[in-house]
Amino acid sequence: MEKKLNDLIDKALSRRKFMAGAGTAAAATLIIGCNNSSPAPTTTPAPTTTPTPTTTPTPTAAPLTDADYLTFALNLEYLEAEFYLYATTGSGLSSADAGSGAGTTIVPSTGTKITFADSYLQQYADEIAQDELNHVRFLRSALSAAGATVQPRPAIDLTFFAGLGTAAGISGTFNPFTDENAFLTGAFVFEDVGVTAYLGAAPLITNKASYLGPAAGILGTEAYHAAEIRTLIAGNAAASGATAAQTAALANANLIAALRGKISAATDTMISGETMLSTSQIVNCDSTNAIAFARVPNQVLHIVYGGTAGAGVAKGGFFPAGLNGNIKTTTT
Protein backbone atom coordinates (compact mmCIF):
# COMPACT_ATOMS: atom_id res chain seq x y z
CA MET A 1 0.00 0.00 0.00
CA GLU A 2 2.82 2.38 0.90
CA LYS A 3 4.54 1.89 -2.47
CA LYS A 4 1.30 2.66 -4.27
CA LEU A 5 0.86 5.77 -2.17
CA ASN A 6 4.38 6.93 -3.00
CA ASP A 7 3.84 6.26 -6.70
CA LEU A 8 0.57 8.12 -6.82
CA ILE A 9 1.71 11.31 -5.12
CA ASP A 10 4.39 11.77 -7.79
CA LYS A 11 1.80 12.21 -10.57
CA ALA A 12 1.58 15.95 -11.19
CA LEU A 13 -1.53 17.56 -12.59
CA SER A 14 -1.72 21.12 -13.82
CA ARG A 15 -5.15 22.57 -13.22
CA ARG A 16 -7.94 22.85 -10.70
CA LYS A 17 -11.59 23.64 -10.64
CA PHE A 18 -14.57 22.62 -8.65
CA MET A 19 -17.15 20.34 -10.17
CA ALA A 20 -20.03 19.47 -7.92
CA GLY A 21 -23.71 19.37 -8.41
CA ALA A 22 -26.72 17.53 -9.51
CA GLY A 23 -29.23 17.93 -12.26
CA THR A 24 -32.99 17.64 -12.01
CA ALA A 25 -35.35 16.06 -14.49
CA ALA A 26 -39.14 16.26 -14.79
CA ALA A 27 -41.69 13.83 -16.15
CA ALA A 28 -45.49 14.04 -16.70
CA THR A 29 -48.10 11.30 -16.89
CA LEU A 30 -51.14 11.66 -19.15
CA ILE A 31 -54.21 10.04 -17.63
CA ILE A 32 -57.20 9.17 -19.87
CA GLY A 33 -60.50 8.38 -18.19
CA CYS A 34 -63.50 6.48 -19.57
CA ASN A 35 -66.92 5.31 -18.37
CA ASN A 36 -68.87 2.09 -18.80
CA SER A 37 -70.90 3.46 -21.77
CA SER A 38 -67.86 4.37 -23.83
CA PRO A 39 -66.98 2.11 -26.75
CA ALA A 40 -63.89 -0.04 -26.48
CA PRO A 41 -60.80 1.87 -27.54
CA THR A 42 -59.23 1.02 -30.84
CA THR A 43 -55.60 0.07 -31.15
CA THR A 44 -53.30 2.81 -32.45
CA PRO A 45 -51.20 1.56 -35.37
CA ALA A 46 -47.47 1.42 -34.75
CA PRO A 47 -45.54 4.26 -36.41
CA THR A 48 -43.93 3.35 -39.70
CA THR A 49 -40.86 5.48 -39.03
CA THR A 50 -38.53 5.61 -36.06
CA PRO A 51 -39.09 8.79 -34.05
CA THR A 52 -36.16 11.15 -33.70
CA PRO A 53 -34.67 10.69 -30.21
CA THR A 54 -34.73 13.69 -27.94
CA THR A 55 -31.50 14.95 -26.39
CA THR A 56 -31.35 15.01 -22.61
CA PRO A 57 -29.84 18.29 -21.43
CA THR A 58 -26.55 18.02 -19.56
CA PRO A 59 -27.18 18.66 -15.84
CA THR A 60 -26.01 22.07 -14.68
CA ALA A 61 -23.53 21.96 -11.82
CA ALA A 62 -25.13 23.22 -8.65
CA PRO A 63 -23.10 26.03 -7.08
CA LEU A 64 -21.47 25.36 -3.74
CA THR A 65 -22.94 27.29 -0.84
CA ASP A 66 -21.53 28.74 2.35
CA ALA A 67 -23.07 25.76 4.16
CA ASP A 68 -21.00 23.46 1.95
CA TYR A 69 -17.79 25.22 2.94
CA LEU A 70 -18.75 25.20 6.62
CA THR A 71 -19.50 21.49 6.36
CA PHE A 72 -16.13 20.93 4.72
CA ALA A 73 -14.49 22.75 7.63
CA LEU A 74 -16.54 20.70 10.09
CA ASN A 75 -15.15 17.47 8.63
CA LEU A 76 -11.62 18.71 9.25
CA GLU A 77 -12.49 19.82 12.77
CA TYR A 78 -13.92 16.38 13.50
CA LEU A 79 -10.55 14.91 12.50
CA GLU A 80 -8.52 17.32 14.62
CA ALA A 81 -10.79 16.96 17.63
CA GLU A 82 -10.60 13.17 17.48
CA PHE A 83 -6.80 13.24 17.32
CA TYR A 84 -6.34 15.57 20.28
CA LEU A 85 -9.08 14.07 22.42
CA TYR A 86 -7.77 10.53 21.99
CA ALA A 87 -4.21 11.72 22.71
CA THR A 88 -5.19 13.54 25.90
CA THR A 89 -8.09 11.49 27.27
CA GLY A 90 -8.02 8.14 25.49
CA SER A 91 -11.54 8.76 24.16
CA GLY A 92 -12.97 10.65 21.22
CA LEU A 93 -16.01 12.86 20.67
CA SER A 94 -19.17 12.16 22.62
CA SER A 95 -22.15 10.83 20.70
CA ALA A 96 -23.81 14.26 21.01
CA ASP A 97 -20.81 16.04 19.49
CA ALA A 98 -20.28 13.41 16.79
CA GLY A 99 -23.91 13.57 15.68
CA SER A 100 -26.50 10.97 14.81
CA GLY A 101 -25.22 8.36 12.37
CA ALA A 102 -21.56 9.19 13.00
CA GLY A 103 -18.90 6.98 11.48
CA THR A 104 -16.46 4.93 13.53
CA THR A 105 -13.03 6.22 14.49
CA ILE A 106 -10.26 3.64 14.07
CA VAL A 107 -7.42 3.96 16.57
CA PRO A 108 -4.14 2.07 17.08
CA SER A 109 -4.53 -1.19 19.00
CA THR A 110 -1.71 -0.12 21.31
CA GLY A 111 -3.83 2.72 22.72
CA THR A 112 -3.91 6.46 22.29
CA LYS A 113 -3.70 8.28 25.63
CA ILE A 114 -0.22 9.72 25.92
CA THR A 115 1.76 9.89 29.14
CA PHE A 116 3.36 13.31 28.88
CA ALA A 117 6.75 13.54 30.58
CA ASP A 118 6.44 17.33 30.76
CA SER A 119 3.36 18.72 32.51
CA TYR A 120 3.37 21.91 30.42
CA LEU A 121 3.05 19.84 27.24
CA GLN A 122 0.08 18.08 28.78
CA GLN A 123 -1.51 21.48 29.48
CA TYR A 124 -0.90 22.65 25.91
CA ALA A 125 -2.36 19.45 24.49
CA ASP A 126 -5.41 19.70 26.75
CA GLU A 127 -6.00 23.30 25.68
CA ILE A 128 -5.81 22.49 21.97
CA ALA A 129 -8.09 19.48 22.42
CA GLN A 130 -10.72 21.73 24.03
CA ASP A 131 -10.33 24.34 21.30
CA GLU A 132 -10.90 21.77 18.56
CA LEU A 133 -13.90 20.37 20.39
CA ASN A 134 -15.29 23.90 20.65
CA HIS A 135 -14.77 24.38 16.90
CA VAL A 136 -16.83 21.26 16.24
CA ARG A 137 -19.61 22.53 18.47
CA PHE A 138 -19.50 26.02 16.96
CA LEU A 139 -19.72 24.84 13.35
CA ARG A 140 -22.50 22.38 14.15
CA SER A 141 -24.40 25.19 15.87
CA ALA A 142 -23.80 27.64 13.00
CA LEU A 143 -25.04 25.16 10.40
CA SER A 144 -28.10 24.35 12.49
CA ALA A 145 -28.89 28.05 12.98
CA ALA A 146 -28.65 28.55 9.21
CA GLY A 147 -31.18 25.78 8.64
CA ALA A 148 -28.59 23.59 6.92
CA THR A 149 -28.10 19.86 7.38
CA VAL A 150 -25.59 19.20 10.14
CA GLN A 151 -23.45 16.33 8.92
CA PRO A 152 -22.22 13.83 11.52
CA ARG A 153 -18.61 12.82 12.00
CA PRO A 154 -17.45 10.71 9.06
CA ALA A 155 -15.48 7.51 9.56
CA ILE A 156 -11.95 8.45 10.64
CA ASP A 157 -8.80 6.34 10.59
CA LEU A 158 -6.14 7.53 13.03
CA THR A 159 -3.92 4.58 12.13
CA PHE A 160 -3.23 6.19 8.75
CA PHE A 161 -0.35 8.10 10.34
CA ALA A 162 1.73 4.98 9.64
CA GLY A 163 1.05 5.15 5.90
CA LEU A 164 1.59 8.89 5.83
CA GLY A 165 4.89 8.48 7.64
CA THR A 166 6.07 5.89 5.16
CA ALA A 167 5.13 8.12 2.23
CA ALA A 168 7.03 11.01 3.83
CA GLY A 169 10.11 8.90 4.44
CA ILE A 170 9.91 8.70 8.23
CA SER A 171 11.99 5.81 9.54
CA GLY A 172 10.06 3.00 11.19
CA THR A 173 6.32 2.97 11.82
CA PHE A 174 5.11 6.44 12.66
CA ASN A 175 2.59 6.49 15.51
CA PRO A 176 1.91 9.88 17.15
CA PHE A 177 0.37 8.23 20.21
CA THR A 178 3.60 6.63 21.44
CA ASP A 179 5.09 9.62 23.27
CA GLU A 180 4.97 13.40 23.48
CA ASN A 181 7.56 14.01 20.74
CA ALA A 182 5.75 11.80 18.24
CA PHE A 183 2.54 13.57 19.32
CA LEU A 184 4.03 16.95 18.38
CA THR A 185 4.85 15.66 14.90
CA GLY A 186 1.30 14.30 14.59
CA ALA A 187 -0.11 17.66 15.63
CA PHE A 188 2.15 19.31 13.04
CA VAL A 189 0.44 17.21 10.36
CA PHE A 190 -2.92 18.86 11.05
CA GLU A 191 -2.28 22.39 12.28
CA ASP A 192 -0.56 23.78 9.20
CA VAL A 193 -3.21 22.17 7.00
CA GLY A 194 -5.92 23.83 9.10
CA VAL A 195 -4.40 27.28 8.61
CA THR A 196 -3.98 26.90 4.86
CA ALA A 197 -7.45 25.37 4.45
CA TYR A 198 -9.27 28.23 6.19
CA LEU A 199 -7.23 30.83 4.31
CA GLY A 200 -7.94 29.12 0.99
CA ALA A 201 -11.67 28.86 1.67
CA ALA A 202 -12.14 32.42 2.95
CA PRO A 203 -12.49 34.06 -0.53
CA LEU A 204 -15.08 31.44 -1.48
CA ILE A 205 -17.53 32.50 1.24
CA THR A 206 -20.33 34.64 -0.20
CA ASN A 207 -22.05 35.81 2.98
CA LYS A 208 -19.09 37.80 4.28
CA ALA A 209 -21.11 39.57 6.98
CA SER A 210 -22.31 36.38 8.64
CA TYR A 211 -19.52 33.86 8.11
CA LEU A 212 -16.22 35.50 7.18
CA GLY A 213 -15.60 36.93 10.66
CA PRO A 214 -16.09 33.62 12.50
CA ALA A 215 -14.05 31.78 9.85
CA ALA A 216 -11.23 34.29 10.29
CA GLY A 217 -11.47 33.79 14.05
CA ILE A 218 -11.05 30.02 13.69
CA LEU A 219 -8.17 30.60 11.27
CA GLY A 220 -6.50 32.76 13.91
CA THR A 221 -6.87 30.07 16.55
CA GLU A 222 -5.50 27.42 14.20
CA ALA A 223 -2.55 29.72 13.46
CA TYR A 224 -1.89 30.04 17.21
CA HIS A 225 -1.96 26.25 17.47
CA ALA A 226 0.38 25.83 14.50
CA ALA A 227 2.84 28.37 15.92
CA GLU A 228 2.70 26.68 19.31
CA ILE A 229 3.44 23.24 17.88
CA ARG A 230 6.14 24.53 15.53
CA THR A 231 7.84 26.45 18.35
CA LEU A 232 7.80 23.45 20.69
CA ILE A 233 9.30 21.16 18.06
CA ALA A 234 12.03 23.62 17.08
CA GLY A 235 12.73 24.69 20.64
CA ASN A 236 13.12 21.13 21.89
CA ALA A 237 15.51 20.32 19.05
CA ALA A 238 17.54 23.47 19.74
CA ALA A 239 18.02 22.75 23.44
CA SER A 240 21.56 21.84 24.50
CA GLY A 241 20.34 18.58 25.99
CA ALA A 242 18.05 17.65 23.12
CA THR A 243 17.24 13.95 23.00
CA ALA A 244 17.28 11.80 19.89
CA ALA A 245 13.47 11.77 19.97
CA GLN A 246 13.31 15.57 20.05
CA THR A 247 15.75 15.89 17.17
CA ALA A 248 13.79 13.28 15.23
CA ALA A 249 10.54 15.20 15.79
CA LEU A 250 11.99 18.18 13.93
CA ALA A 251 13.36 16.07 11.08
CA ASN A 252 10.09 14.17 10.76
CA ALA A 253 8.05 17.37 10.76
CA ASN A 254 10.04 18.61 7.78
CA LEU A 255 9.51 15.32 5.97
CA ILE A 256 5.78 15.80 6.50
CA ALA A 257 5.97 19.42 5.28
CA ALA A 258 7.82 18.34 2.14
CA LEU A 259 5.19 15.68 1.44
CA ARG A 260 2.31 18.13 1.89
CA GLY A 261 3.95 20.60 -0.46
CA LYS A 262 4.55 17.86 -3.00
CA ILE A 263 0.93 16.72 -2.89
CA SER A 264 -0.34 20.30 -3.17
CA ALA A 265 1.95 21.11 -6.10
CA ALA A 266 0.83 17.92 -7.82
CA THR A 267 -2.79 19.04 -7.80
CA ASP A 268 -2.49 22.80 -8.11
CA THR A 269 0.18 25.42 -8.69
CA MET A 270 -1.29 27.70 -6.03
CA ILE A 271 1.28 26.44 -3.54
CA SER A 272 4.54 24.87 -4.62
CA GLY A 273 5.87 23.96 -1.23
CA GLU A 274 6.19 24.96 2.40
CA THR A 275 8.76 26.79 4.46
CA MET A 276 10.89 24.22 6.24
CA LEU A 277 10.85 24.38 10.02
CA SER A 278 14.18 25.02 11.71
CA THR A 279 15.55 26.16 15.03
CA SER A 280 15.84 29.66 13.57
CA GLN A 281 12.72 29.80 11.37
CA ILE A 282 9.30 29.05 12.81
CA VAL A 283 6.72 30.91 10.72
CA ASN A 284 5.31 29.14 7.67
CA CYS A 285 4.88 31.89 5.07
CA ASP A 286 6.24 33.02 1.74
CA SER A 287 9.61 34.73 1.80
CA THR A 288 8.57 37.78 -0.25
CA ASN A 289 5.53 39.17 1.53
CA ALA A 290 5.44 37.04 4.69
CA ILE A 291 1.91 35.88 3.83
CA ALA A 292 0.67 32.50 5.01
CA PHE A 293 0.12 29.83 2.39
CA ALA A 294 -3.41 28.95 1.29
CA ARG A 295 -4.92 25.74 -0.04
CA VAL A 296 -8.21 25.35 -1.86
CA PRO A 297 -10.47 22.45 -0.77
CA ASN A 298 -9.31 20.25 -3.66
CA GLN A 299 -5.73 20.40 -2.38
CA VAL A 300 -6.78 19.67 1.18
CA LEU A 301 -8.74 16.64 -0.01
CA HIS A 302 -5.64 15.21 -1.67
CA ILE A 303 -3.71 15.59 1.59
CA VAL A 304 -6.29 14.06 3.96
CA TYR A 305 -7.05 11.28 1.46
CA GLY A 306 -3.40 10.31 1.44
CA GLY A 307 -2.01 11.90 -1.68
CA THR A 308 -3.75 9.81 -4.33
CA ALA A 309 -3.41 11.83 -7.52
CA GLY A 310 -6.10 12.69 -10.04
CA ALA A 311 -9.73 13.68 -10.15
CA GLY A 312 -12.50 11.55 -8.69
CA VAL A 313 -10.78 10.54 -5.45
CA ALA A 314 -13.56 10.38 -2.87
CA LYS A 315 -12.06 8.53 0.08
CA GLY A 316 -8.86 7.25 1.64
CA GLY A 317 -6.23 8.22 4.16
CA PHE A 318 -7.72 9.68 7.31
CA PHE A 319 -11.24 9.40 5.83
CA PRO A 320 -11.69 5.76 4.69
CA ALA A 321 -15.30 6.37 3.60
CA GLY A 322 -14.79 9.97 2.47
CA LEU A 323 -15.97 13.27 3.89
CA ASN A 324 -19.62 14.07 4.46
CA GLY A 325 -21.31 16.85 2.51
CA ASN A 326 -20.95 18.10 -1.05
CA ILE A 327 -17.21 18.81 -1.00
CA LYS A 328 -15.72 15.34 -0.85
CA THR A 329 -14.34 14.42 -4.28
CA THR A 330 -11.12 15.69 -5.87
CA THR A 331 -11.57 17.57 -9.13
CA THR A 332 -8.02 17.50 -10.55
Side-chain angles (χ1 to χ4, degrees), residues 73-160:
L74 177 59
N75 279 276
L76 301 180
E77 295 294 350
Y78 280 136
L79 175 60
E80 288 190 280
E82 288 290 83
F83 169 70
Y84 285 109
L85 288 172
Y86 271 106
T88 56
T89 70
S91 299
L93 292 163
S94 68
S95 57
D97 291 319
S100 177
T104 300
T105 295
I106 304 170
V107 298
S109 59
T110 53
T112 58
K113 186 176 181 180
I114 298 170
T115 300
F116 288 88
D118 295 303
S119 59
Y120 70 91
L121 287 178
Q122 173 78 67
Q123 292 173 355
Y124 292 159
D126 289 341
E127 180 182 39
I128 297 177
Q130 186 63 52
D131 288 344
E132 302 300 356
L133 173 58
N134 290 343
H135 286 170
V136 167
R137 290 172 174 172
F138 171 76
L139 289 171
R140 286 178 58 86
S141 177
L143 285 163
S144 178
T149 299
V150 182
Q151 296 287 348
R153 177 193 64 207
I156 290 173
D157 186 359
L158 293 178
T159 68
F160 178 67

Side-chain angles (χ1 to χ4, degrees), residues 140-303:
R140 286 178 58 86
S141 177
L143 285 163
S144 178
T149 299
V150 182
Q151 296 287 348
R153 177 193 64 207
I156 290 173
D157 186 359
L158 293 178
T159 68
F160 178 67
F161 280 104
L164 190 69
T166 299
I170 294 177
S171 177
T173 301
F174 178 51
N175 180 358
F177 301 107
T178 54
D179 59 64
E180 60 189 30
N181 292 296
F183 162 79
L184 290 174
T185 303
F188 179 87
V189 171
F190 295 135
E191 292 304 336
D192 283 348
V193 174
V195 173
T196 60
Y198 275 101
L199 184 56
L204 305 175
I205 295 175
T206 59
N207 189 339
K208 310 292 186 186
S210 298
Y211 298 125
L212 189 57
I218 296 179
L219 187 156
T221 301
E222 297 292 348
Y224 280 127
H225 292 168
E228 184 176 21
I229 296 300
R230 293 170 71 90
T231 299
L232 287 169
I233 292 174
N236 287 342
S240 58
T243 65
Q246 290 173 328
T247 302
L250 175 60
N252 291 341
N254 279 323
L255 289 174
I256 292 292
L259 176 64
R260 289 189 309 222
K262 188 175 185 180
I263 293 171
S264 293
T267 57
D268 199 289
T269 57
M270 184 177 181
I271 174 173
S272 59
E274 293 193 47
T275 302
M276 293 296 103
L277 176 63
S278 71
T279 56
S280 61
Q281 184 165 325
I282 307 298
V283 180
N284 188 24
C285 63
D286 75 77
S287 59
T288 303
N289 301 308
I291 295 176
F293 295 111
R295 288 187 175 97
V296 293
N298 182 60
Q299 294 172 298
V300 177
L301 286 174
H302 276 287
I303 292 174

